[in-house]
Amino acid sequence: MTEVRKRRESDGKLLESAESDHIDSEDDRFKSDADLSNTIPSGTDKAPGVLEWLVKDLPDKWRNWAVRAIFSLIMIIFFSLVIYGGPLALMITTLVVQVKCFQEIINIGYAVYMIHGLPWFRSLSWYFLLTSNYFFYGESLIDYFGVLINRTDGLPFLVAYHRFISFSLYCVGFVWFVLSLVKKYYMKQFSLFAWTHLALFIVVTQSYLIIKNIFDGLIWFIVPVSMIICNDIMAYVFGFFFGKTPLIKLSPKKTWEGFIGGGVSTVFFGLGISYVMCQYPYFVCPIEYSEALGRITMECEPSSLFRLQAYNVPTWMKWLNMFGVGSTVHLYPFMLHSLSLSLFSSIIGPFGGFFASGFKRAFKIKDFGDVIPGHGGIMDRFDCQFLMATFVNVYISSFIQTDSPQKLLSQILYLKPEQQLQLFYLLEDSLQNRNMFNAAN
């Protein structure tokens, strides 16, 4: 009986100790709401010293409106300058935005899980960002510039074994993470490991798709991005002046009036900007390496997608006659596709912002950062853009894109010489059987 009593007392002490450790770990898992709010800076209520004297006498509502409007204009001007800088400037800007968004998400993770002083963990997050970018952007370079890469000494090896190298780099990070595990911090470290990978999924893959869209023609980047900007601005304006009916509980300030007003404005804006940009090869030509010119080029004969075509006006739209519209109209086919883009940016796009709002509310923070006065962090402004980028890429691959001869050639060059020769003979036989050589002559 004495031994049984001792065993029960021992088991009770172990259980009590385990429960105490569990309670301590749960209490220690998250910071208090006030601490987390103070850790993550907010930028929507801030006005730079230069503007403070202009808005200091305004009511809070109009003060925020003024600061937001000024920095919206500054961002639009900056965006226009980047477009003027060409594809390289756009890609660099995309990478900078990606890094900043990743930093903001990771900083929230560190604030939530309070990982302080553990070896290498912050370095591990950035290492995984670098390896992810190496994999994704390497894939893009191989697809679009394979001809050029295969002619550069040393690079064909990297091309041939790109995926193996990428996987090896990831394995190094994986082993590094396992070796960095510290007793009593396992739960926090694994939680932050998952947090890092979620951030990579949200940020890196989406920015990769943005750059793929750029390679297909600047219009596939500029028009969707502009639609999101237009929808965000006009929804804010309509909601500010006319908003009365709440739209969603996650964002109490969002209203149906703003949602509908922003959507209608985006449709008309999308048609207008598409009509203008379709007239310039600079915006519609894909980015390719020209073997004849020996350089990257954006010169091409615009496809039928960007040429005016006549369309018969449907019977149910005959009422447009009173506005001078005849029985036929001349439109660029891309304008019809822009309707799909504008509808997505108006109806589904805002849910990227609602998702971000829910994320911030879950951790009792107002903004992802304070980089942009009146707006918050970079992620606060690009939460809808990432979702839009995915839709555009899926839309192109589903309804628009066919592999260009240039891209097919770059893939053929990865084959062994005997495989290339075999492909040549098979293609020659196929063309002869279809009398394509006679048709060409």
Side-chain angles (χ1 to χ4, degrees), residues 38-108:
N38 292 331
T39 302
I40 306 300
S42 174
T44 51
D45 295 327
K46 293 184 178 180
V50 180
L51 296 178
E52 186 63 37
W53 63 276
L54 285 174
V55 300
K56 62 181 180 180
D57 295 328
L58 295 175
D60 289 342
K61 182 178 180 180
W62 286 98
R63 181 178 183 276
N64 179 263
W65 195 94
V67 174
R68 189 182 180 96
I70 291 171
F71 276 89
S72 294
L73 181 61
I74 291 174
M75 286 189 289
I76 291 173
I77 294 173
F78 175 77
F79 179 58
S80 301
L81 292 175
V82 171
I83 293 173
Y84 180 78
L88 182 60
L90 285 170
M91 293 177 195
I92 293 174
T93 302
T94 301
L95 287 174
V96 171
V97 168
Q98 175 215 98
V99 170
K100 187 60 182 173
C101 289
F102 181 79
Q103 180 190 36
E104 291 176 352
I105 296 175
I106 288 298
N107 284 343
I108 295 175

Side-chain angles (χ1 to χ4, degrees), residues 206-255:
Q206 308 306 314
S207 62
Y208 161 71
L209 294 178
I210 288 175
I211 290 183
K212 280 185 68 70
N213 297 341
I214 292 174
F215 277 121
D216 289 323
L218 295 185
I219 195 169
W220 291 107
F221 170 79
I222 297 172
V223 170
V225 168
S226 300
M227 286 178 175
I228 290 291
I229 294 173
C230 173
N231 183 261
D232 186 59
I233 292 175
M234 298 309 296
Y236 179 79
V237 171
F238 276 91
F240 185 87
F241 289 104
F242 309 108
K244 293 181 180 179
T245 312
L247 175 62
I248 187 170
K249 291 182 179 180
L250 283 173
S251 297
K253 293 183 179 180
K254 305 292 185 183
T255 63

Side-chain angles (χ1 to χ4, degrees), residues 49-192:
V50 180
L51 296 178
E52 186 63 37
W53 63 276
L54 285 174
V55 300
K56 62 181 180 180
D57 295 328
L58 295 175
D60 289 342
K61 182 178 180 180
W62 286 98
R63 181 178 183 276
N64 179 263
W65 195 94
V67 174
R68 189 182 180 96
I70 291 171
F71 276 89
S72 294
L73 181 61
I74 291 174
M75 286 189 289
I76 291 173
I77 294 173
F78 175 77
F79 179 58
S80 301
L81 292 175
V82 171
I83 293 173
Y84 180 78
L88 182 60
L90 285 170
M91 293 177 195
I92 293 174
T93 302
T94 301
L95 287 174
V96 171
V97 168
Q98 175 215 98
V99 170
K100 187 60 182 173
C101 289
F102 181 79
Q103 180 190 36
E104 291 176 352
I105 296 175
I106 288 298
N107 284 343
I108 295 175
Y110 281 113
V112 170
Y113 293 104
M114 297 184 297
I115 299 289
H116 299 299
L118 292 181
W120 304 116
F121 219 87
R122 191 175 292 273
S123 301
L124 261 173
S125 298
W126 290 102
Y127 175 81
F128 281 122
L129 177 67
L130 290 175
T131 55
S132 300
N133 277 317
Y134 176 81
F135 170 72
F136 282 112
Y137 293 110
E139 293 280 307
S140 289
L141 291 175
I142 291 171
D143 283 343
Y144 292 98
F145 305 116
V147 177
L148 176 61
I149 292 173
N150 276 283
R151 292 181 177 178
T152 306
D153 295 337
L155 291 183
F157 172 82
L158 296 178
V159 170
Y161 301 101
H162 172 71
R163 294 192 177 184
F164 179 78
I165 295 172
S166 299
F167 179 72
S168 299
L169 290 172
Y170 181 83
C171 287
V172 170
F174 182 80
V175 172
W176 186 1
F177 164 73
V178 174
L179 294 176
S180 70
L181 291 172
V182 177
K183 190 177 181 180
K184 294 184 179 180
Y185 288 95
Y186 293 152
M187 179 61 74
K188 291 183 178 181
Q189 288 182 284
F190 276 100
S191 297
L192 197 53

